[in-house]
Amino acid sequence: MLTSLDDRDGLIWLDGELLPWREARLHVLTHALHMGGAVFEGMRAYGGRVFLDAPHLERFQRSAVLLDYRLPWSSDELSQAINAVLWANQLDDAYIRPLAWRGTESVSIASPHARIHVAIAAWDWPTAASQGRAEEGIRLHLAHWRRPRPDTSPTEAKCSGLYMIGTLARHAATAAGCDDALLLDSEGLVAETTATNLLMIRDGVLTSPLPTCFLDGITKRHVMELARQRGLRVEERAVTLEELRRASEVFTAGTSVELQPVVALVERTGTTEWPVGPITRQLIRDFRRSVTATRQEDVAPRDRQQHMNAAHTVDGCTTP
């Protein structure tokens, strides 16, 4: 039986206050619960330092605007709030979830004047790499659900409503004995998995599908830069399913999983298999070096103290 995330010790930042974990709750008539208009981010801290926090918080702000509202907190204020959550919960390595949503003023389709709420939670969510399983591959199942056209939904936003597609596809993949699902776009081209970007190696070139109808992943961008530093040719373009089948290596990239090799794609007509190849292995090592370089022990003592001081007070909200 799964452990409930709402029943645990700790503190969650909610609308400017650090509340006991179990008290950070919503009413059943919250607009976002009915209309799927919440936006969120997935971030990670390594050694007490938040990794790629600026681009994540920029996307968080942009996602809200795409859903026709603005966050009542600036990115700098949210960054301080994240530090407060990490400090208050005594977390060094952690997954971080900022979330924003429309409140209870209305449950009609239009609710332009509803209050915008923001929460930030963080908890220990180990990655495969931190558990020594970085090179274990996953099996993908080809989903029959597809990513929507960009003129039918705000596909550039990290919006809760769009994740329903991923939920259904992941359920079907699990039922088929796979770890995750591969989704195509409306034209039948390769898009992404349910929550991560897909990358492939073919003829020594690192290729990722153009993010025309799904998120342009921040972790993916970081990995592409690591590949360029290795002297690899990197490109983004339309990728057909047949090209993917002929790739020599395939892996996914995302904050929640970091880098994850893909060893199989299960389709109705057959299964394609790939090895965990040398380029994937090297990029996994490069990624781990890049995140451990941000760990708190690599920060000068004065900077570390400033980091902790910033975590004590957030826009007038003092931590316990």
Side-chain angles (χ1 to χ4, degrees):
M1 184 175 181
L2 293 176
T3 301
S4 175
L5 277 175
D6 68 353
D7 185 18
R8 58 191 300 162
D9 296 329
L11 296 160
I12 290 177
W13 189 89
L14 177 59
D15 292 335
E17 297 182 81
L18 282 166
L19 299 179
W21 193 286
R22 295 176 181 85
E23 295 180 16
R25 296 187 174 276
L26 307 179
H27 194 273
V28 295
L29 294 182
T30 296
H31 187 274
L33 181 62
H34 296 251
M35 303 302 168
V39 297
F40 66 97
E41 276 298 320
M43 305 167 69
R44 279 198 181 271
Y46 298 92
R49 300 292 301 276
V50 183
F51 186 59
L52 298 173
D53 57 338
H56 277 288
L57 290 175
E58 289 169 6
R59 187 172 66 183
F60 190 42
Q61 298 279 357
R62 189 168 64 252
S63 292
V65 171
L66 286 168
L67 266 71
D68 200 29
Y69 60 83
R70 294 185 179 274
L71 303 184
W73 308 89
S74 70
S75 291
D76 285 344
E77 290 169 329
L78 292 172
S79 179
Q80 291 182 54
I82 288 170
N83 287 331
V85 169
L86 294 173
W87 176 83
N89 289 285
Q90 300 180 31
L91 291 168
D92 287 327
D93 294 345
Y95 179 81
I96 305 159
R97 173 57 60 89
L99 175 73
W101 66 96
R102 287 187 174 93
T104 57
E105 286 74 15
S106 169
V107 291
S108 67
I109 292 291
S111 189
H113 304 300
R115 180 184 176 186
I116 304 303
H117 299 271
V118 181
I120 301 169
W123 63 92
D124 181 24
W125 186 1
T127 64
S130 68
Q131 297 176 322
R133 299 182 295 104
E135 296 183 8
E136 287 187 9
I138 62 170
R139 293 168 59 84
L140 298 181
H141 178 260
L142 184 62
H144 73 270
W145 297 101
R146 297 196 174 188
R147 285 298 182 202
R149 289 167 50 97
D151 59 354
T152 63
S153 61
T155 56
E156 293 181 35
K158 198 170 177 69
C159 166
S160 62
L162 291 172
Y163 276 76
M164 174 188 64
I165 301 167
T167 297
L168 294 172
R170 181 81 67 92
H171 286 177
T174 302
C178 295
D179 303 288
D180 201 350
L182 172 67
L183 291 97
L184 307 179
D185 67 13
S186 60
E187 305 300 320
L189 296 170
V190 173
E192 60 171 357
T193 72
T194 62
T196 58
N197 288 131
L198 193 78
L199 300 99
M200 70 177 189
I201 307 294
R202 187 178 178 192
D203 298 327
V205 179
L206 177 66
T207 303
S208 187
L210 275 172
T212 54
C213 62
F214 54 91
L215 282 181
D216 186 5
I218 292 167
T219 300
K220 178 200 71 175
R221 287 283 169 199
H222 180 68
V223 171
M224 292 168 73
E225 181 55 33
L226 292 176
R228 291 188 183 98
Q229 292 173 14
R230 279 278 165 195
L232 284 173
R233 180 180 162 194
V234 177
E235 61 183 23
E236 281 186 296
R237 59 174 176 80
V239 175
T240 68
L241 197 52
E242 183 57 32
E243 284 181 296
L244 179 65
R245 295 187 189 110
R246 294 179 180 176
S248 55
E249 303 176 39
V250 180
F251 65 94
T252 67
T255 298
S256 59
V257 302
E258 298 178 338
L259 274 69
Q260 203 166 38
V262 177
V263 296
L265 173 62
V266 178
E267 305 179 56
R268 183 173 53 83
T269 56
T271 299
T272 303
E273 296 183 342
W274 301 281
V276 181
I279 296 177
T280 299
R281 295 178 191 274
Q282 183 62 61
L283 289 173
I284 289 173
R285 291 193 292 269
D286 289 347
F287 184 85
R288 292 305 299 173
R289 278 195 288 269
S290 73
V291 299
T292 54
T294 68
R295 294 180 65 87
Q296 191 169 1
E297 57 263 32
D298 296 330
V299 183
R302 183 182 66 173
D303 293 337
R304 186 184 304 124
Q305 186 60 50
Q306 291 174 345
H307 172 72
M308 296 307 294
N309 289 342
H312 280 65
T313 304
V314 182
D315 197 39
C317 167
T318 303
T319 66

